[in-house]
Amino acid sequence: ITLEPIGGTRTFADLWNDPFGAMGRKREHHLVTGPDLITVLPLPKEGQPEGFTGAIGDFDASWSLSHKFANVGEPVVLTIKIAGQGNFSRMEAPVLNLKDSWKIDDPKSEFRNSDGIGYSGTKVFEYVLSPNEPGNLQIGPLHFSYFDPTSAEYRSIELMPHRLEVTGKALPVVTEEQ
């Protein structure tokens, strides 16, 4: 990719005579930038982890559950926070590989910008889960993978499992045909 030169005439206050620019003389200056070359490489296929969803940057991840105890059918919120620097706008929600013992709603996401341009911050994903059966149910472990452009390598973060103690009677399994 080549970024073309940008040029044009701009009017600036003469800051040498008035550092606040209010009373100084206005002068026209012609500015021209030189061309810049940016090399864009495809992501390597070699070493790409299963479940990689396109995150590029340098990230850290954490997660939590809204409850440690629940009744069958009671909604529980699973929150995943991914913080750092990178392409948050292209970051997709991590995939949850849970058994049929859960009803899982589509995740909602929110980006909390910390630098004003959207390169640094925290992306928060919230999943509403409802257990379909009683027991000491395990959620996770969860893996989040990203490509680190500084090291030119894929990185994976493993988030340790959470347990949820669920009481009550199992709900009937609903299939698409019913």
Side-chain angles (χ1 to χ4, degrees):
I1 294 176
T2 303
L3 300 177
E4 294 299 322
I6 301 172
T9 302
R10 303 288 187 265
T11 303
F12 298 96
D14 186 350
L15 297 178
W16 298 113
N17 291 329
D18 182 3
F20 299 104
M23 302 300 287
R25 296 177 306 204
K26 304 283 183 180
R27 292 188 184 174
E28 287 192 0
H29 298 279
H30 188 72
L31 303 174
V32 177
T33 65
D36 287 326
L37 296 178
I38 298 175
T39 303
V40 179
L41 301 172
L43 289 173
K45 295 291 182 196
E46 185 176 324
Q48 190 176 86
E50 186 177 327
F52 174 72
T53 59
I56 301 171
D58 184 20
F59 303 103
D60 195 11
S62 63
W63 68 329
S64 62
L65 281 178
S66 62
H67 299 73
K68 290 184 180 186
F69 302 94
N71 291 313
V72 170
E74 181 181 349
V76 176
V77 178
L78 170 65
T79 303
I80 301 171
K81 295 180 181 180
I82 300 173
Q85 297 179 327
N87 67 336
F88 287 97
S89 63
R90 300 182 136 219
M91 185 182 295
E92 295 179 20
V95 176
L96 297 182
N97 293 320
L98 297 177
K99 297 178 182 176
D100 292 336
S101 55
W102 298 92
K103 177 187 178 298
I104 306 171
D105 291 343
D106 290 335
K108 292 181 174 45
S109 67
E110 173 190 8
F111 178 64
R112 299 173 184 161
N113 188 347
S114 65
D115 66 0
I117 60 172
Y119 181 71
S120 295
T122 302
K123 192 150 189 183
V124 179
F125 297 97
E126 288 188 340
Y127 301 78
V128 176
L129 313 173
S130 299
N132 292 330
E133 61 187 46
N136 190 3
L137 304 179
Q138 178 174 305
I139 303 171
L142 179 72
H143 299 273
F144 172 71
S145 299
Y146 63 94
F147 183 77
D148 180 350
T150 304
S151 65
E153 295 179 341
Y154 289 97
R155 306 252 186 235
S156 290
I157 299 170
E158 181 176 356
L159 300 170
M160 299 311 291
H162 283 286
R163 293 208 172 270
L164 180 69
E165 184 64 38
V166 180
T167 56
K169 295 186 180 193
L171 296 175
V173 177
V174 177
T175 63
E176 296 289 327
E177 297 170 5
Q178 292 180 332

